[in-house]
Amino acid sequence: MEVIVARTPKEVKEIIRDWKKQGYSIGLVPTMGYLHEGHGSLIERAVKENDKVMVSVFVNPIQFGPNEDLETYPRDFDADLQMIEKLGADMVFHPEPSDMYAPDFSTTISVAGVSENLCGARRPGHFNGVCTVVTKLFNLSEADRAYFGQKDAQQLAVVRRMVRDLNANIEIIGCPIIREDDGLAKSSRNTYLNPDERKAATVLSKALRTGKQMIESGEKNAEVVKSKITEIISKEPLAKIDYVEITDWNSIEPVDIIDRSTLCAIAVYIGNTRLIDNFIYEV
């Protein structure tokens, strides 16, 4: 069956009303498009766990800062549509920014604490933009479940906290990072890398793999693990570290001792491209 393409919130609401009337469970996969196997894994899981699945393809302008890559962010809706249809989703929501944000739009959602470290400290206002658009998608889709990738681990933690705090009637499903054969986490921004940078980018997953092995072998001092990860990345000439942090997985507050579920997250510039990666250590 051909996937439905909805362009406006009004169209989405009409389709959702029909689905709800028939008693279908609904899964939501929010994306900014330029889909890869990581997104594909979210869609596949959503299709498996729900009667109907809506995928959003929307480059959300309010989560980009003034000097970020909003204009150059990769887009290929035709390819996205092919993948979504192949994986069995039922609807694609592909609005224009003007369909999502009225000229006098003035409401944003802010999640304190959990959004303020890591990427939140480097990209002011980013998570306000994420939480606002995600809430709009929750409201439009009336989804039972929404699917997010662990590569954006802080985003996952922030959305979970927002849903808990606001008693939103939706279950948030976190899905594992999907990697290339050489370990690089799948990302739409990987397309920015030239061949030398692409090769250099593997240092992120190598450093994280070493850090995880250290913890699993009994090292519980966060500073020792961070130092080793930093040392490995620093040996790559094309890499410039933005941050290497180990935090509590729920609060995203830094920890000294790794004695609970923790997130080890890194952001590294390879040339001009900022890449993120992480692992979660569960106690």
Side-chain angles (χ1 to χ4, degrees):
M1 196 176 72
E2 198 174 329
V3 66
I4 301 163
V5 179
R7 303 275 181 177
T8 67
K10 184 172 181 286
E11 288 175 68
V12 172
K13 286 178 179 178
E14 286 169 1
I15 294 158
I16 296 298
R17 194 178 301 125
D18 182 51
W19 287 357
K20 286 286 180 183
K21 203 181 288 180
Q22 296 181 68
Y24 293 136
S25 62
I26 299 170
L28 168 69
V29 182
T31 84
M32 292 209 301
Y34 212 72
L35 305 184
H36 50 68
E37 289 90 337
H39 300 106
S41 70
L42 306 183
I43 297 167
E44 283 176 341
R45 183 159 174 191
V47 167
K48 197 182 294 180
E49 295 179 355
N50 302 274
D51 299 321
K52 295 288 182 181
V53 171
M54 169 176 145
V55 180
S56 65
V57 174
F58 178 57
V59 181
N60 177 35
I62 70 168
Q63 70 188 65
F64 286 78
N67 301 311
E68 294 185 340
D69 57 343
L70 173 61
E71 297 308 321
T72 59
Y73 193 85
R75 296 161 169 87
D76 188 344
F77 183 64
D78 289 342
D80 292 343
L81 194 56
Q82 277 188 336
M83 179 192 261
I84 291 164
E85 194 160 46
K86 187 179 170 189
L87 293 173
D90 302 276
M91 173 174 35
V92 181
F93 179 41
H94 183 48
E96 292 297 323
S98 57
D99 294 316
M100 292 294 276
Y101 302 110
D104 59 349
F105 185 86
S106 56
T107 304
T108 56
I109 294 178
S110 171
V111 180
V114 69
S115 70
E116 290 167 12
N117 193 9
L118 307 181
C119 287
R122 275 82 179 170
R123 304 180 66 188
H126 169 70
F127 286 115
N128 291 2
V130 169
C131 288
T132 302
V133 76
V134 162
T135 299
K136 287 168 75 69
L137 293 169
F138 290 172
N139 289 342
L140 286 169
S141 67
E142 299 181 45
D144 300 278
R145 300 171 194 87
Y147 297 79
F148 293 85
Q150 186 198 303
K151 187 180 76 71
D152 296 295
Q154 186 176 17
Q155 174 178 275
L156 176 58
V158 168
V159 170
R160 278 183 172 155
R161 179 67 63 87
M162 177 184 77
V163 163
R164 186 203 73 180
D165 288 355
L166 298 182
N167 303 111
N169 192 23
I170 189 167
E171 183 184 358
I172 303 303
I173 312 284
C175 300
I177 297 172
I178 304 297
R179 298 183 179 277
E180 304 282 0
D181 292 341
D182 61 8
L184 181 66
K186 299 263 186 186
S187 169
S188 302
R189 288 188 170 100
N190 290 349
T191 56
Y192 297 159
L193 303 170
N194 67 35
D196 287 342
E197 290 167 345
R198 173 64 185 77
K199 193 175 173 186
T202 60
V203 75
L204 277 76
S205 58
K206 286 174 191 163
L208 287 174
R209 201 156 50 241
T210 299
K212 191 171 190 186
Q213 286 166 356
M214 288 173 71
I215 297 170
E216 287 170 347
S217 300
E219 181 58 70
K220 295 296 184 271
N221 185 315
E223 202 53 52
V224 171
V225 177
K226 279 166 56 178
S227 295
K228 187 62 180 175
I229 292 170
T230 302
E231 178 193 321
I232 293 169
I233 297 170
S234 299
K235 285 178 180 168
E236 170 50 62
L238 296 180
K240 181 186 161 204
I241 293 171
D242 187 5
Y243 65 75
V244 174
E245 296 286 353
I246 297 180
T247 72
D248 180 286
W249 171 216
N250 294 306
S251 69
I252 316 295
E253 291 291 332
V255 299
D256 296 322
I257 303 298
I258 302 165
D259 58 358
R260 68 198 88 166
S261 293
T262 50
L263 167 68
C264 178
I266 61 176
V268 179
Y269 285 94
I270 302 290
N272 293 320
T273 304
R274 184 177 183 273
L275 301 176
I276 59 172
D277 203 346
N278 67 79
F279 69 82
I280 295 164
Y281 175 74
E282 300 281 8
V283 174

